[in-house]
Amino acid sequence: MTLYDLDGSGNCYKVRLFAALADIELELVAVDLRAGEHKGEAMRSLNPWCEVPILKDGNLVLRDAQAILVYLAGRYGGEAWWPGEAHLQGEVMQWLSVAANEIQHGPAAARLGKKFAADLDLNLAQARSKRILGLMDAHLAKHQWLAAGRPSIAECAVFPYIGLAWEGGLEMGPYQNVQAWMQRIRALQGFKAMPGINGPGS
Amino acid sequence: MTLYDLDGSGNCYKVRLFAALADIELELVAVDLRAGEHKGEAMRSLNPWCEVPILKDGNLVLRDAQAILVYLAGRYGGEAWWPGEAHLQGEVMQWLSVAANEIQHGPAAARLGKKFAADLDLNLAQARSKRILGLMDAHLAKHQWLAAGRPSIAECAVFPYIGLAWEGGLEMGPYQNVQAWMQRIRALQGFKAMPGINGPGS
């Protein structure tokens, strides 16, 4: 099973983190985004969206970190990480949507703007980030985990860009419940970091 | 089962459309967003994110259209709409992410800017929309349905803001495969429209 990967990508880290936690072996293939490899013929035929991560498992090819998490957990991780009950899937799915939308356009965008000088509205991304962090902090004041009362793929989808939010210029001090939750994730057996994930307040 | 609803919202329509197709009965409760009802105490206690749709089924409360679709299909719609096999869930999930992220910040944002004069970057939203429509059109040149070889909740999540894209100033003429796919959706038993969904090229 192959993961087309970029080591500095939080989206790729979502998959690497889950694989580490669920003890799933991945062969990592580094994609050279600076050289535009993701837009070349070979990668485009795997993923016309020209993005990483991409998972290849036999004949199956999947793009999008959240989709890869659902697949890996369903196929190899079992109910521990992606519950079978509809109401718990719904609870987890709420946070997969947050990871795909609000976090991508909040902390992930702020990091792109601040760390990688991407051409985007950094103030807007930071304002969106503060809203999300506030909502998460209030949720985590009452819950140990995001959904289903236990660690799930919701943690793997949400944690990476929250742990990297400081690289987007966000002050994490006000979000004590988020910080405590990140410590709980770090304490999970098999946890694996990525560059930047152990920064201030992360 | 209650859906807190706004008739002009494409996100609420995702749920109403699926309920119509899967023959699930919903009690609709209109939320007066113009009067700020979504930010009031009662609605905030149901959804601190202050957004609709919200589904209440007994003690269960879910926000986010994609999460509601996963729950309703898993609990009431059966495998027809949300397959049990991990690889097919992964395929469908790719499009739930697209609905949550790229479509929200593409055609849904363009509609907010153009039709409702929301304070956002309309040019950016339209440019994003064209990318998504092009990618969808290429995908639908080879597939009748978005995922899993059959109509699924991916259709319910993606169709609404694609059908409303013309309200965001987008010319749908170039996307013939998308238009043919929308016709196939319209022909599904139980299909239900919303205001704007039968506009030019939609």
Side-chain angles (χ1 to χ4, degrees):
Chain A
M1 192 157 44
T2 305
L3 184 72
Y4 295 87
D5 183 53
L6 175 72
D7 61 355
S9 156
N11 278 315
C12 293
Y13 174 53
K14 294 175 185 177
V15 181
R16 297 196 307 267
L17 172 61
F18 176 64
L21 292 170
D23 202 17
I24 295 167
E25 206 168 320
L26 292 176
E27 185 204 351
L28 301 183
V29 173
V31 179
D32 190 348
L33 268 75
R34 288 193 191 188
E37 192 185 352
H38 56 307
K39 294 180 182 169
E41 272 304 305
M43 296 309 297
R44 193 184 289 268
S45 73
L46 286 174
N47 180 9
W49 296 62
C50 301
E51 293 164 347
V52 287
I54 308 165
L55 185 81
K56 192 166 184 320
D57 188 13
N59 288 326
L60 180 70
V61 178
L62 285 175
R63 61 176 169 79
D64 180 68
Q66 288 67 233
I68 295 171
L69 291 176
V70 164
Y71 169 68
L72 285 178
R75 177 86 175 74
Y76 300 106
E79 294 226 343
W81 294 94
W82 174 232
E85 306 96 308
H87 68 287
L88 298 182
Q89 282 196 356
E91 277 191 24
V92 171
M93 184 64 217
Q94 291 180 140
W95 293 99
L96 300 185
S97 284
V98 169
N101 175 5
E102 285 87 353
I103 290 180
Q104 204 61 38
H105 293 267
R111 177 173 177 256
L112 274 182
K114 182 93 175 171
K115 183 174 181 180
F116 299 103
D119 178 23
L120 51 76
D121 187 339
L122 182 58
N123 285 333
L124 177 61
Q126 288 177 334
R128 283 172 166 166
S129 302
K130 287 174 191 166
R131 172 172 176 260
I132 303 316
L133 285 164
L135 286 162
M136 281 187 64
D137 205 65
H139 181 77
L140 291 165
K142 297 184 204 155
H143 305 272
Q144 294 274 302
W145 305 102
L146 292 175
R150 64 180 191 257
S152 74
I153 54 172
E155 264 68 36
C156 301
V158 170
F159 171 77
Y161 284 114
I162 300 299
L164 296 168
W166 68 277
E167 293 192 335
L170 290 149
E171 172 53 61
M172 297 299 285
Y175 311 110
Q176 290 296 318
N177 300 310
V178 172
Q179 291 198 42
W181 166 77
M182 291 200 286
Q183 286 303 338
R184 286 192 288 279
I185 293 175
R186 280 200 180 74
L188 292 172
Q189 186 168 6
F191 175 83
K192 208 169 161 178
M194 71 167 268
I197 209 72
N198 289 316
S202 73
Chain B
M1 190 154 48
T2 305
L3 183 72
Y4 295 88
D5 183 52
L6 175 71
D7 62 354
S9 156
N11 278 313
C12 293
Y13 174 52
K14 294 175 186 178
V15 180
R16 297 195 307 268
L17 173 60
F18 176 64
L21 292 170
D23 202 17
I24 296 167
E25 206 168 320
L26 293 176
E27 185 203 350
L28 301 183
V29 173
V31 179
D32 190 347
L33 267 77
R34 286 192 192 190
E37 192 184 351
H38 56 306
K39 295 180 181 170
E41 272 304 305
M43 297 309 297
R44 193 184 290 269
S45 73
L46 286 174
N47 181 9
W49 296 61
C50 300
E51 293 165 346
V52 288
I54 308 167
L55 184 82
K56 192 167 185 318
D57 188 12
N59 289 325
L60 180 72
V61 178
L62 285 177
R63 60 175 170 79
D64 181 68
Q66 287 67 232
I68 295 171
L69 291 175
V70 164
Y71 169 68
L72 285 178
R75 177 87 174 74
Y76 300 105
E79 296 225 342
W81 295 94
W82 175 231
E85 305 97 308
H87 69 287
L88 298 182
Q89 283 196 357
E91 276 191 25
V92 172
M93 184 65 216
Q94 292 180 142
W95 293 99
L96 300 185
S97 284
V98 168
N101 176 6
E102 284 87 354
I103 289 180
Q104 204 60 40
H105 293 268
R111 177 174 178 256
L112 274 180
K114 182 92 176 172
K115 183 175 181 179
F116 300 104
D119 178 23
L120 52 75
D121 187 338
L122 181 58
N123 285 334
L124 177 60
Q126 288 176 334
R128 284 171 167 166
S129 302
K130 287 174 193 166
R131 172 172 176 260
I132 304 315
L133 286 164
L135 285 162
M136 281 186 65
D137 205 64
H139 180 76
L140 290 165
K142 296 184 207 156
H143 304 273
Q144 293 275 302
W145 305 103
L146 292 176
R150 62 181 192 257
S152 74
I153 54 172
E155 264 69 35
C156 301
V158 169
F159 171 77
Y161 284 114
I162 301 299
L164 295 168
W166 67 278
E167 293 191 335
L170 290 149
E171 172 53 60
M172 297 299 285
Y175 312 110
Q176 291 295 317
N177 299 310
V178 171
Q179 291 198 41
W181 166 77
M182 292 200 286
Q183 287 303 340
R184 287 192 287 278
I185 293 176
R186 279 200 182 75
L188 291 172
Q189 185 168 7
F191 175 84
K192 208 169 161 177
M194 71 167 268
I197 210 70
N198 289 317
S202 75

